Amino acid sequence: MNLSQRDKKHNWHPYTQHKTAPDFPAIVKGKDALLWDENGKEYIDAIASWWVNPYGHSNQVVADAIYHQLTTLEHVLFGGFTHQPAVILAEKLMEILPSNQQKIFYSDNGSTAVEVAIKVALQYNYNKGIKKIKIIAFEDAFHGDTFAAMAASGISFFTEAFQGSLLEVTRIPVPTQGNENASLKALENAVKTNEYSAFIYEPLVQGAAGMVMYAPEVLEQLLGICQQNNVFTIADEVMTGFGKTGKTFASDYLSIQPDMMCLSKALTGGTIPMAITTFTHQIFDGFYNDDTNKALFHGHTFTANPTGCAAALASIQLLQSDEMQANIQRVHQSHLNFQKKIENHAKVKTTRVLGVIFALEVKTDSAESYYGNLRNKLYDFFIENGIILRPVGNIVYILPPYIITENQLQKVYQTIGKALEIV
């Protein structure tokens, strides 16, 4: 049996109905924007493996940093101890985060980064004897698969099995063009009740909803409403962080800063699972007390793993390099050029670009489900043609490694063009 066949015997894959799923390609090697399977077939990783590999696979800078750390200190518990990589990483993050972010809490993945933020929002008020046990989130949001993160998410088929077991959430419309006033009004009405601890949002781009984009100006208005009504704001930058939108963080497009930020995915350059939740000093002070019971009792075995911290430091070094910043601008310009070519195609309904993110909505005669026939047909076509793209319903998006070559990008664009002819 080959690897793909052996895989089916024991492995349970995410977001997969195994009864109908085919054998999966078994990837044995990766370099830069390319992956190779066990049969030697080459794939362009046009989504940076779920948005985590902006500097490419098997990046030597990150690999060297990990190797050096592994030969010095691979791990030590963070409960009751600290270590140099965590201290240096926190200091480095202070240089690049919005200036109001002053405290760093380490965890393992994007969902837990969100989980920490929501728990902190609720407990902050609890510590002060205030009952605010609800949160506000956008419709069609996705914030992760742990329970508080699921509650905040608005894509129903991910969470419908758990209705009745989740935190109470009020959803407001996404402030896309033409929807701004409805979104602002819904938030204003919600916060008047004084029942909400936090408003959580994906700044400027809703990733899992199909790269839905909205303007920074209306987000600033929403954040201003929250500030005026003592509702904490949580920027979920798990996807948008570390250069995806053209700036280090999507929050950098705004003058109003969030109270908390959630980071993961590209944090370690796609090498080691790690996440961070950041906070203002005001929030930290809500737990700073002689009463031990007012501490934040949340932790993970691999909190602030030194090797992960070393990978994150190397990744930030790469992000800040002139070469990588030039790559981000190059990919952005290529997306804009492709947008001009494809936006008037008969099969294209809308297109949108922000930073290295490109999204295209395919015209359909009826509503297309998230994992429907059109999506599966497109996905299979891309895989057959050596391109890794994962359409969301009828939305085809590109979010490539920043180091993808121009020739590779053109092949991705050309393959999307060919795919439109078969739908």
Side-chain angles (χ1 to χ4, degrees):
M1 288 194 295
N2 61 21
L3 281 175
S4 292
Q5 293 165 337
R6 288 162 58 193
D7 172 82
K8 295 182 77 171
K9 189 171 182 180
H10 299 294
N11 288 333
W12 192 342
H13 289 259
Y15 310 116
T16 298
Q17 176 47 264
H18 279 273
K19 186 171 184 179
T20 57
D23 289 357
F24 297 143
I27 301 301
V28 297
K29 181 184 176 183
K31 184 62 181 172
D32 298 332
L34 299 176
L35 294 166
W36 290 268
D37 69 18
E38 62 183 329
N39 300 312
K41 183 175 179 178
E42 181 182 282
Y43 303 84
I44 298 174
D45 186 357
I47 58 168
S49 286
W50 263 340
W51 325 333
V52 303
N53 283 89
Y55 320 113
H57 296 281
S58 303
N59 183 282
Q60 196 63 50
V61 172
V62 182
D64 288 346
I66 289 171
Y67 174 76
H68 176 75
Q69 189 59 50
L70 284 172
T71 59
T72 306
L73 173 67
E74 79 299 337
H75 182 66
V76 64
L77 69 162
F78 209 55
F81 293 88
T82 192
H83 52 78
Q84 188 178 41
V87 172
I88 295 175
L89 177 55
E91 292 170 344
K92 186 64 180 177
L93 286 167
M94 290 302 108
E95 296 175 12
I96 65 173
L97 284 164
S99 59
N100 69 333
Q101 301 299 298
Q102 291 294 312
K103 288 292 180 178
I104 305 292
F105 193 95
Y106 294 99
S107 61
D108 295 356
N109 57 68
S111 293
T112 55
V114 168
E115 203 82 9
V116 169
I118 292 174
K119 286 178 71 173
V120 164
L122 297 178
Q123 190 180 336
Y124 178 94
N125 286 290
Y126 176 84
N127 282 355
K128 294 185 177 300
I130 301 169
K131 188 176 182 181
K132 286 187 173 183
I133 57 174
K134 300 177 184 179
I135 63 172
I136 302 166
F138 282 138
E139 295 169 353
D140 297 323
F142 182 76
H143 296 288
D145 293 325
T146 52
F147 266 72
M150 272 199 303
S153 299
I155 302 173
S156 62
F157 72 90
F158 282 131
T159 58
E160 60 188 12
F162 309 100
Q163 296 304 316
S165 302
L166 301 175
L167 188 69
E168 189 171 345
V169 178
T170 292
R171 305 200 184 283
I172 64 172
V174 184
T176 49
Q177 190 171 8
N179 247 6
E180 296 93 341
N181 288 336
S183 184
L184 290 165
K185 191 66 177 176
L187 181 62
E188 287 172 344
N189 289 337
V191 297
K192 285 177 184 176
T193 66
N194 204 34
E195 298 175 306
Y196 297 93
S197 281
F199 165 50
I200 186 169
Y201 58 95
E202 298 162 87
L204 308 189
V205 189
Q206 286 192 299
M211 301 300 164
V212 173
M213 299 180 186
Y214 60 97
E217 292 80 11
V218 68
L219 179 55
E220 285 207 324
Q221 291 179 267
L222 292 167
L223 299 186
I225 292 168
C226 290
Q227 278 188 348
Q228 293 159 19
N229 290 274
N230 297 314
V231 175
F232 287 130
T233 53
I234 304 170
D236 180 353
E237 296 237 23
V238 170
M239 186 275 282
T240 53
F242 303 103
K244 307 288 197 341
T245 64
K247 293 183 181 287
T248 302
F249 301 106
S251 296
D252 293 338
Y253 283 93
L254 284 70
S255 58
I256 297 179
Q257 299 171 332
D259 298 300
M260 312 178 212
M261 293 175 66
C262 304
L263 311 173
S264 190
K265 289 197 180 291
L267 172 63
T268 64
T271 55
I272 294 175
M274 192 176 195
I276 286 172
T277 313
T278 71
F279 305 94
T280 63
H281 225 301
Q282 175 202 342
I283 292 174
F284 177 78
D285 287 344
F287 295 77
Y288 194 74
N289 199 285
D290 290 327
D291 185 351
T292 302
N293 291 329
K294 291 189 175 181
L296 175 62
F297 286 101
H298 187 101
H300 302 269
T301 304
F302 284 93
T303 293
N305 170 255
T307 312
C309 290
L313 282 163
S315 297
I316 293 170
Q317 174 191 331
L318 286 167
L319 175 65
Q320 293 184 309
S321 69
D322 291 342
E323 179 185 2
M324 207 59 67
Q325 289 299 310
N327 280 332
I328 290 171
Q329 293 308 313
R330 173 180 59 81
V331 172
H332 175 66
Q333 187 57 53
S334 293
H335 283 348
L336 291 176
N337 294 342
F338 178 53
Q339 182 181 40
K340 286 181 183 177
K341 291 180 182 178
I342 204 74
E343 61 187 350
N344 294 318
H345 191 288
K347 297 283 184 68
V348 174
K349 184 176 181 181
T350 61
T351 59
R352 44 192 175 269
V353 175
L354 182 63
V356 301
I357 305 167
F358 172 91
L360 173 156
E361 184 177 3
V362 180
K363 286 182 181 177
T364 57
D365 295 329
S366 57
E368 179 65 23
S369 64
Y370 205 89
Y371 285 107
N373 290 332
L374 174 60
R375 179 267 177 200
N376 293 338
K377 185 176 182 180
L378 288 167
Y379 177 79
D380 291 343
F381 180 83
F382 294 135
I383 291 296
E384 287 169 12
N385 284 273
I387 308 290
I388 299 176
L389 291 170
R390 288 179 63 90
V392 178
N394 65 324
I395 307 295
V396 176
Y397 74 87
I398 311 167
L399 207 169
Y402 308 154
I403 49 75
I404 191 170
T405 68
E406 201 57 33
N407 285 340
Q408 289 165 348
L409 263 180
Q410 292 304 319
K411 183 178 177 182
V412 174
Y413 299 150
Q414 290 163 11
T415 306
I416 291 173
K418 292 176 183 176
L420 291 174
E421 303 306 321
I422 68 163
V423 297

